[in-house]
Amino acid sequence: MKITWNWLLDYVDVSDLTPQEVAQKMTNAGIPVEHMEPFVDGVSGVVVGEVVHVEQHPNADRLRICTVDVGAQAHLTIVCGAHNVAASQRVPVALVGAKLPGMEIGKSKLRGVISEGMICSVSELGIDPYLFPKEQTTGIFVLAQDAPVGEDMNVYLGLNDMVMELELTPNRSDCLSLRGVAYEVAALFGRSVRMPNPQLQTLEVTVRDLSVSIETDLCTAYAGQVVEGLQLGSAPMWMQMRLLAVGMRSINNLVDITNYVMFEWGQPLHAFNYEVIDRQQVIVRQAVTGEQIVTLDGQTRTLTEAMIVIADPSKALGLAGVMGGQNSEVTADTTAVVIESALFDPLQTRRTGKTLQLRSEAGLRFEKGPDPTVISAALARAVELMVHYAGGRIAASPVLLGDAFDHMKYKKVVVGTSRVERLLGFSVSARQMLDVCNRLQFGVEVEADHFVVEVPSRRPDITIEEDMIEEFARLIGYEHIPTTMIEGPLTAGHLTKEQYVRRIITDHLIAQGLQEVVTYSLVSLEELSRIGLEPDHEWPQSIPLLHPLSDDHSVLRTTMLPSLLAVAKMNVSYRRLDLRLFEMGKVYWSKQLPLLEQPDERLMLAGLLLGRKHPEHPYDRARAYDFYDAKGITESILARTGIHAPVVFERAATPYFHGGQSADLSIQGVTCGRVGRVHQAVANAYDLPDCYYFELDVRALVEASTNELYVAEIPRFPGVVRDLALVVKHELAVSALLATVKEVAGEELNAMNVFDIYTGDGIEEGDKSVALRLFFQSLSRTLTDDEMETTINRILTHVKSVHGAVLRE
Amino acid sequence: MRERLLELQVQALAEIEKVDALEELETWRVGYLGKKGELSGVLRTMGTLSVEERPLVGQIANDVRAELETAYQTREKSLQIAAMRKREAKETIDVTLPGRKSWLGAEHPLHKVIRRIEDIFLGFGFTVEEGPEVELDYYNFEALNLPKDHPARDMQDTFYITEEILMRTHTSPMQARMLAERYPATDIRMIVPGRVYRRDDDDATHSHAFMQVEGLVVGHGVRMSDLKGMLLQFAREMFGEDQEVRLRPSFFPFTEPSAELDIRCIYCGGSGCRTCKQTGFIEILGCGMIHPNVLQMQGYDARELSGFAFGMGVERIAMLMYRVEDIRQFYQNDVRLLEQFATLTR
């Protein structure tokens, strides 16, 4: 919402203050003045002049020599290049010595003729031509014929003004009018408000009949009056300039007047051609579904029955509160209009505007619900201005329908005196409260322990006690609220087990050198095909948004892989070829589509490794990451998380992984993640070299995580180490061999490592040698050589019978 | 014989002076002190001496032996040291070469900020709660005093999934959820960090997805001054001991009275700069006293219980703290930005 300083001063006298002082106080009171700038900056020495005579420049085809009367004794000679200059025009004249934005006017000689000033265009005066009619901006600025010759242009156009842009919160729709802002400013500075007080005029003998009927509940009040004898033309210049300053295009005197009154009172008005109304009957009704109307912008609109139309017995004339119809538009030969000042259902107005994508200043005000008590004042004001500035005459008494006119002008809000202090935390005296009510011009009844505040209808945002308490705080000043600490029971803050485990995992991975990333969860549907999932894949289906802004963010992700691959791709493109990325983020699995209930939001831990395992060093060739690095990190996470249950890695066929380097992992039968080498085709799709990915279901880890709080005893007897190199078939999974060893190794087997896998010389083709280091330990005695001998032999016999494994010679 | 021993001593000591390798020293030791060495040789002839002379000569022989052994040990030590020096010379490396490095990982700045906020509020006795991002219209709007078609819904353009299911536009739905879940609570202190979504085009200051931290305190007699006091403590923990806060009236449908909280500009300290638009203050969060409708909708008596709520944008705070100028950088994950956080202690 934009206002101008001078316009505001019409209604509240704060001329002893600077615009900055007022803006500062408004901002601190919750009506932030977001932006403030001079309407036009740096214009001086420009006056209204009359072109007395024009003749062709003898030495230049495009120049004219004008004789201009600027109210001084002598006429000036001014050379002008504009095509539209003509005798008897009133024009802005920059005198010698005048200042215009970016230039200063001096006496100059143009092709041999001395020019004593300059006739100015709109943009030379520093006015944004954007909202001007085109014919006014292609040459010099032609002023109205009644522009007083010699008057300073700053005064005439009101250029010495500040434009203030208010950033209104949705509750303060009262400040969508100068009237509302004036009441606010008056309250802040303890001033009074002086609004015009127009009265509706009745006519004893009706010149032009008008009947109005309301056939829908969606229109609660309608005021209208017929004005005739109108002459369509331009609105007075000061009015055009004010509308321009607040961002409204000047159209003609009639439309400008309705807009001006809307800005003044907050009540949108509509003026439409009286002549086209069939049988002089205006009907406010709901549209018939499928009914069409051509609106003022030339668009044909198809309506639904929820929409409200202004109609006559044979046709719709306009879309109530949204836009007028072309058939009733005010045109050059219009001499009689109906001025409509009405109240339409805010929700329906808003829905209609949204459905038809029509946003207007009027619609904006209707959907917030204007003050019902100003409909007749706004109508009277518009009639008065049309009589004054458009040659109008009242042609009938006003029509007033609906209950708005005998509407209660205020609502009562009861405020407990002690409640104010209980809610705000500081004491506010009855005197202060009374003072605030007076400044707001709210009526008040003071009782022993409460106030009954009469809140006028111009402040629809105040309906309950707390709203009124906010008004007290706001006008006394939030800076008076002290700082205290909450009273009440002392509670210990704590994280949940899951939150702790998540921090442990994050810290662990960072310590391992991994970089945390954060990526969007709204992704493109195409990502799934890029990682090799066919359209008919059996994975959870992506949940689509109803109205995405772009294809790139149109569905909720079901896997983290594409997000990490995209981050890697971007970084690799910057030649960062060694990357270790992880993200703990959500994937969204639907149970059915379209959604009937909220989906499963699963927190996943995903990691991607590519490039070298360590930074390069002159004495250490860094090797590239491989599958076992990814698996090792996964295992270290499980260990860190306190998972003591056995974790099983099984070969798996995941579409986006290498066929031979992919495993699913499970804990006690529950699948909780996967690790693998990213499929060559997928890596290629992201322009990436070999990379390795792991993904863990964080909730499953948290569930498997134990809270053991004791340590095992340190053994007092020496342990025994035995190495065994076993030759087995190449395809035998080492995990199977280890399991077999474990079956018969006895409870003294404390640990078992695979320290070498060998193929080549001495080992037959198709075989491999697996070197195991077994560590035996008893907590109760020293193990003897004989006993170890027996155990090893038992192991060897067993692995031979199960896997055909033999001891390597 | 006595002369023979002394001669031997002189000779041995002279020789050992010339020994400059450990192997030669061993030869010397065997030669003089070994079982078949010179000294033993001399002592073997002790039998020829008279009974009176024997103790005297024996004494001398012991002295000589002690002398030679001392000389041996001294020499051995100095030769060992020399040998080690020699080896060290061979093993000398360029200590100015860089050390073997490990990759340094870092927490993402947005999570760094959230963790810091969590830690501060944990210290105030808060719990950390999390809720669904795919939320019901009821919790995101209606339960927060934003009925369907409420004009204030315009403030938050929403990604809908169905008519009733949407991407939450703020972390505030957790206010209603926790009030309902903990009913009839008399004491709630919680924060809710999480992702939220708005139907906004991405640019330097807008993102369709971002993060918020919501706060909720409910209890008997909770006042707006408590809100100001707690957020002042928070601002001091987060932005510095000497911080000051300022409340300005504002509007949120689910709080009344409502306010914006400003802190003193962390760049200019309040004297005015480009970041604070010369005001000396910067806005960091919205807050207010819980609207009675929000309490009542979950079955609470708003006359009995009161509370406050606040919500802050994590990206905004991160942008201010780390002077990142484009919100999109947090989601681009350029490691040239992210790895800098490995060496930032805050």
Side-chain angles (χ1 to χ4, degrees), chain A residues 509-541:
Chain A
L509 289 176
I510 289 168
Q512 298 286 302
L514 276 77
Q515 171 63 53
E516 191 188 23
V517 301
V518 170
T519 59
Y520 294 129
S521 9
L522 288 172
V523 298
S524 145
L525 191 57
E526 278 164 33
E527 286 187 349
L528 292 182
S529 62
R530 290 183 83 190
I531 60 164
L533 292 186
E534 302 295 336
D536 59 347
H537 63 80
E538 288 173 358
W539 296 42
Q541 292 293 329

CSV table of all heavy atoms in Angstrom, one decimal, chain A residues 509-541:
chain,number,residue,atom,x,y,z
A,509,LEU,N,31.2,-39.5,10.9
A,509,LEU,CA,31.5,-39.4,9.5
A,509,LEU,C,32.4,-38.2,9.2
A,509,LEU,O,33.2,-38.2,8.4
A,509,LEU,CB,30.2,-39.4,8.7
A,509,LEU,CG,29.4,-40.7,8.7
A,509,LEU,CD1,28.1,-40.6,7.9
A,509,LEU,CD2,30.3,-41.8,8.0
A,510,ILE,N,32.1,-37.1,9.9
A,510,ILE,CA,32.9,-35.9,9.7
A,510,ILE,C,34.3,-36.2,10.2
A,510,ILE,O,35.3,-35.9,9.5
A,510,ILE,CB,32.3,-34.7,10.5
A,510,ILE,CG1,31.0,-34.3,9.9
A,510,ILE,CG2,33.3,-33.6,10.6
A,510,ILE,CD1,30.2,-33.3,10.7
A,511,ALA,N,34.5,-37.0,11.3
A,511,ALA,CA,35.8,-37.3,11.7
A,511,ALA,C,36.5,-38.3,10.7
A,511,ALA,O,37.7,-38.3,10.6
A,511,ALA,CB,35.8,-38.0,13.1
A,512,GLN,N,35.7,-39.0,10.0
A,512,GLN,CA,36.3,-39.9,9.0
A,512,GLN,C,36.6,-39.1,7.7
A,512,GLN,O,37.1,-39.7,6.7
A,512,GLN,CB,35.2,-41.0,8.6
A,512,GLN,CG,34.8,-41.9,9.7
A,512,GLN,CD,35.9,-42.9,10.0
A,512,GLN,OE1,36.3,-43.6,9.1
A,512,GLN,NE2,36.4,-42.9,11.2
A,513,GLY,N,36.4,-37.8,7.7
A,513,GLY,CA,36.7,-37.0,6.6
A,513,GLY,C,35.6,-36.8,5.6
A,513,GLY,O,35.8,-36.2,4.5
A,514,LEU,N,34.4,-37.2,5.9
A,514,LEU,CA,33.3,-37.0,5.0
A,514,LEU,C,32.7,-35.6,5.1
A,514,LEU,O,32.7,-35.1,6.2
A,514,LEU,CB,32.2,-38.1,5.2
A,514,LEU,CG,32.5,-39.4,4.4
A,514,LEU,CD1,33.5,-40.2,5.2
A,514,LEU,CD2,31.2,-40.2,4.2
A,515,GLN,N,32.2,-35.1,4.0
A,515,GLN,CA,31.6,-33.8,4.0
A,515,GLN,C,30.1,-33.9,4.0
A,515,GLN,O,29.5,-34.6,3.2
A,515,GLN,CB,32.1,-33.0,2.8
A,515,GLN,CG,31.3,-31.7,2.5
A,515,GLN,CD,31.6,-30.7,3.6
A,515,GLN,OE1,32.7,-30.4,4.0
A,515,GLN,NE2,30.5,-30.2,4.2
A,516,GLU,N,29.5,-33.2,5.0
A,516,GLU,CA,28.0,-33.3,5.0
A,516,GLU,C,27.4,-32.3,3.9
A,516,GLU,O,27.9,-31.2,3.7
A,516,GLU,CB,27.5,-32.9,6.3
A,516,GLU,CG,26.0,-33.2,6.5
A,516,GLU,CD,25.3,-32.6,7.7
A,516,GLU,OE1,25.9,-31.7,8.3
A,516,GLU,OE2,24.3,-33.2,8.1
A,517,VAL,N,26.4,-32.8,3.2
A,517,VAL,CA,25.7,-31.9,2.3
A,517,VAL,C,24.2,-31.9,2.7
A,517,VAL,O,23.7,-32.7,3.4
A,517,VAL,CB,25.8,-32.4,0.8
A,517,VAL,CG1,27.3,-32.4,0.4
A,517,VAL,CG2,25.2,-33.7,0.6
A,518,VAL,N,23.5,-30.9,2.1
A,518,VAL,CA,22.0,-30.8,2.3
A,518,VAL,C,21.4,-30.5,0.9
A,518,VAL,O,21.8,-29.6,0.3
A,518,VAL,CB,21.7,-29.6,3.3
A,518,VAL,CG1,20.2,-29.4,3.2
A,518,VAL,CG2,22.1,-29.9,4.7
A,519,THR,N,20.6,-31.4,0.5
A,519,THR,CA,20.0,-31.3,-0.9
A,519,THR,C,18.5,-31.2,-0.7
A,519,THR,O,17.9,-31.5,0.3
A,519,THR,CB,20.4,-32.4,-1.8
A,519,THR,OG1,19.9,-33.7,-1.2
A,519,THR,CG2,21.9,-32.5,-1.9
A,520,TYR,N,17.8,-30.7,-1.8
A,520,TYR,CA,16.4,-30.6,-1.8
A,520,TYR,C,15.7,-31.9,-1.8
A,520,TYR,O,16.1,-32.9,-2.4
A,520,TYR,CB,16.0,-29.8,-3.1
A,520,TYR,CG,16.4,-28.4,-3.2
A,520,TYR,CD1,17.1,-28.0,-4.4
A,520,TYR,CD2,16.2,-27.5,-2.2
A,520,TYR,CE1,17.5,-26.6,-4.5
A,520,TYR,CE2,16.6,-26.2,-2.3
A,520,TYR,CZ,17.3,-25.8,-3.5
A,520,TYR,OH,17.7,-24.5,-3.6
A,521,SER,N,14.5,-32.0,-1.2
A,521,SER,CA,13.8,-33.2,-1.2
A,521,SER,C,12.7,-33.2,-2.3
A,521,SER,O,12.2,-34.2,-2.6
A,521,SER,CB,13.1,-33.5,0.1
A,521,SER,OG,13.1,-32.5,1.0
A,522,LEU,N,12.5,-32.0,-2.9
A,522,LEU,CA,11.6,-32.0,-4.1
A,522,LEU,C,12.5,-32.1,-5.3
A,522,LEU,O,13.4,-31.3,-5.5
A,522,LEU,CB,10.8,-30.7,-4.1
A,522,LEU,CG,9.7,-30.6,-3.1
A,522,LEU,CD1,9.1,-29.1,-3.1
A,522,LEU,CD2,8.6,-31.6,-3.4
A,523,VAL,N,12.3,-33.2,-6.1
A,523,VAL,CA,13.2,-33.5,-7.2
A,523,VAL,C,12.4,-33.6,-8.5
A,523,VAL,O,11.2,-33.5,-8.5
A,523,VAL,CB,14.0,-34.7,-6.9
A,523,VAL,CG1,14.9,-34.5,-5.6
A,523,VAL,CG2,13.1,-35.9,-6.7
A,524,SER,N,13.2,-34.0,-9.5
A,524,SER,CA,12.5,-34.2,-10.8
A,524,SER,C,12.2,-35.7,-11.0
A,524,SER,O,13.0,-36.5,-10.5
A,524,SER,CB,13.5,-33.7,-11.9
A,524,SER,OG,13.4,-34.6,-13.0
A,525,LEU,N,11.1,-36.0,-11.6
A,525,LEU,CA,10.7,-37.4,-11.8
A,525,LEU,C,11.7,-38.1,-12.7
A,525,LEU,O,11.9,-39.3,-12.5
A,525,LEU,CB,9.3,-37.4,-12.4
A,525,LEU,CG,8.6,-38.8,-12.5
A,525,LEU,CD1,8.5,-39.4,-11.1
A,525,LEU,CD2,7.2,-38.7,-13.1
A,526,GLU,N,12.4,-37.4,-13.5
A,526,GLU,CA,13.4,-38.0,-14.4
A,526,GLU,C,14.6,-38.6,-13.7
A,526,GLU,O,15.2,-39.4,-14.3
A,526,GLU,CB,13.9,-36.9,-15.4
A,526,GLU,CG,13.0,-36.7,-16.6
A,526,GLU,CD,13.3,-35.4,-17.3
A,526,GLU,OE1,14.5,-35.0,-17.3
A,526,GLU,OE2,12.4,-34.7,-17.7
A,527,GLU,N,14.8,-38.1,-12.5
A,527,GLU,CA,16.0,-38.6,-11.8
A,527,GLU,C,16.0,-40.1,-11.7
A,527,GLU,O,17.0,-40.8,-11.7
A,527,GLU,CB,16.1,-38.0,-10.4
A,527,GLU,CG,16.5,-36.6,-10.5
A,527,GLU,CD,16.7,-36.0,-9.1
A,527,GLU,OE1,16.4,-36.6,-8.1
A,527,GLU,OE2,17.3,-34.9,-9.0
A,528,LEU,N,14.8,-40.7,-11.5
A,528,LEU,CA,14.7,-42.1,-11.3
A,528,LEU,C,15.1,-42.9,-12.6
A,528,LEU,O,15.8,-43.9,-12.5
A,528,LEU,CB,13.3,-42.5,-11.0
A,528,LEU,CG,12.8,-42.0,-9.6
A,528,LEU,CD1,11.4,-42.5,-9.3
A,528,LEU,CD2,13.8,-42.5,-8.5
A,529,SER,N,14.8,-42.4,-13.7
A,529,SER,CA,15.3,-43.1,-14.9
A,529,SER,C,16.8,-42.9,-15.1
A,529,SER,O,17.4,-43.8,-15.6
A,529,SER,CB,14.5,-42.6,-16.2
A,529,SER,OG,14.6,-41.3,-16.4
A,530,ARG,N,17.3,-41.8,-14.7
A,530,ARG,CA,18.7,-41.5,-14.8
A,530,ARG,C,19.5,-42.5,-13.9
A,530,ARG,O,20.6,-42.8,-14.2
A,530,ARG,CB,19.1,-40.1,-14.4
A,530,ARG,CG,18.6,-39.1,-15.4
A,530,ARG,CD,19.1,-37.7,-14.9
A,530,ARG,NE,20.4,-37.4,-15.4
A,530,ARG,CZ,21.1,-36.3,-14.9
A,530,ARG,NH1,20.5,-35.5,-14.1
A,530,ARG,NH2,22.3,-36.1,-15.4
A,531,ILE,N,18.9,-43.0,-12.8
A,531,ILE,CA,19.6,-44.0,-12.0
A,531,ILE,C,19.2,-45.4,-12.4
A,531,ILE,O,19.4,-46.4,-11.7
A,531,ILE,CB,19.5,-43.8,-10.5
A,531,ILE,CG1,18.1,-43.8,-10.0
A,531,ILE,CG2,20.2,-42.5,-10.1
A,531,ILE,CD1,17.9,-44.0,-8.5
A,532,GLY,N,18.5,-45.5,-13.6
A,532,GLY,CA,18.3,-46.9,-14.1
A,532,GLY,C,17.0,-47.5,-13.6
A,532,GLY,O,16.9,-48.7,-13.7
A,533,LEU,N,16.1,-46.8,-13.0
A,533,LEU,CA,14.8,-47.4,-12.6
A,533,LEU,C,13.8,-47.3,-13.7
A,533,LEU,O,13.6,-46.2,-14.2
A,533,LEU,CB,14.3,-46.8,-11.3
A,533,LEU,CG,15.1,-47.0,-10.0
A,533,LEU,CD1,14.3,-46.4,-8.8
A,533,LEU,CD2,15.4,-48.4,-9.8
A,534,GLU,N,13.3,-48.4,-14.2
A,534,GLU,CA,12.3,-48.4,-15.3
A,534,GLU,C,11.0,-47.8,-14.7
A,534,GLU,O,10.8,-47.8,-13.5
A,534,GLU,CB,12.1,-49.8,-15.7
A,534,GLU,CG,13.3,-50.6,-16.2
A,534,GLU,CD,13.9,-49.9,-17.5
A,534,GLU,OE1,13.2,-49.3,-18.2
A,534,GLU,OE2,15.1,-50.1,-17.7
A,535,PRO,N,10.2,-47.2,-15.7
A,535,PRO,CA,8.9,-46.6,-15.2
A,535,PRO,C,8.1,-47.6,-14.4
A,535,PRO,O,7.3,-47.2,-13.5
A,535,PRO,CB,8.2,-46.3,-16.5
A,535,PRO,CG,9.3,-46.2,-17.5
A,535,PRO,CD,10.4,-47.1,-17.1
A,536,ASP,N,8.2,-48.9,-14.7
A,536,ASP,CA,7.3,-49.9,-13.9
A,536,ASP,C,8.1,-50.5,-12.7
A,536,ASP,O,7.7,-51.6,-12.3
A,536,ASP,CB,6.8,-51.0,-14.9
A,536,ASP,CG,8.0,-51.7,-15.5
A,536,ASP,OD1,9.2,-51.2,-15.4
A,536,ASP,OD2,7.8,-52.8,-16.1
A,537,HIS,N,9.1,-49.7,-12.2
A,537,HIS,CA,9.9,-50.3,-11.1
A,537,HIS,C,9.0,-50.6,-9.9
A,537,HIS,O,7.9,-50.1,-9.8
A,537,HIS,CB,11.0,-49.3,-10.7
A,537,HIS,CG,10.4,-48.0,-10.2
A,537,HIS,ND1,10.0,-47.9,-8.9
A,537,HIS,CD2,10.3,-46.8,-10.8
A,537,HIS,CE1,9.6,-46.6,-8.7
A,537,HIS,NE2,9.7,-46.0,-9.8
A,538,GLU,N,9.5,-51.5,-9.1
A,538,GLU,CA,8.7,-51.9,-7.9
A,538,GLU,C,9.0,-51.2,-6.7
A,538,GLU,O,8.5,-51.5,-5.6
A,538,GLU,CB,8.9,-53.4,-7.7
A,538,GLU,CG,8.3,-54.3,-8.8
A,538,GLU,CD,8.6,-55.7,-8.7
A,538,GLU,OE1,9.4,-56.1,-7.8
A,538,GLU,OE2,8.1,-56.5,-9.5
A,539,TRP,N,9.7,-50.1,-6.8
A,539,TRP,CA,10.1,-49.3,-5.6
A,539,TRP,C,8.9,-48.4,-5.3
A,539,TRP,O,8.0,-48.2,-6.1
A,539,TRP,CB,11.4,-48.5,-5.9
A,539,TRP,CG,12.5,-49.4,-6.1
A,539,TRP,CD1,12.6,-50.5,-6.8
A,539,TRP,CD2,13.8,-49.2,-5.6
A,539,TRP,NE1,13.8,-51.1,-6.8
A,539,TRP,CE2,14.6,-50.3,-6.0
A,539,TRP,CE3,14.4,-48.3,-4.8
A,539,TRP,CZ2,16.0,-50.4,-5.7
A,539,TRP,CZ3,15.8,-48.4,-4.4
A,539,TRP,CH2,16.5,-49.5,-4.9
A,540,PRO,N,8.9,-47.7,-4.2
A,540,PRO,CA,7.8,-46.9,-3.9
A,540,PRO,C,7.7,-45.8,-4.9
A,540,PRO,O,8.7,-45.3,-5.4
A,540,PRO,CB,8.2,-46.2,-2.5
A,540,PRO,CG,9.2,-47.1,-1.9
A,540,PRO,CD,9.9,-47.8,-3.1
A,541,GLN,N,6.4,-45.5,-5.3
A,541,GLN,CA,6.2,-44.5,-6.4
A,541,GLN,C,6.4,-43.1,-5.8
A,541,GLN,O,6.0,-42.8,-4.6
A,541,GLN,CB,4.8,-44.6,-6.9
A,541,GLN,CG,4.5,-45.9,-7.7
A,541,GLN,CD,5.3,-45.9,-9.0
A,541,GLN,OE1,5.6,-44.9,-9.6
A,541,GLN,NE2,5.7,-47.1,-9.4
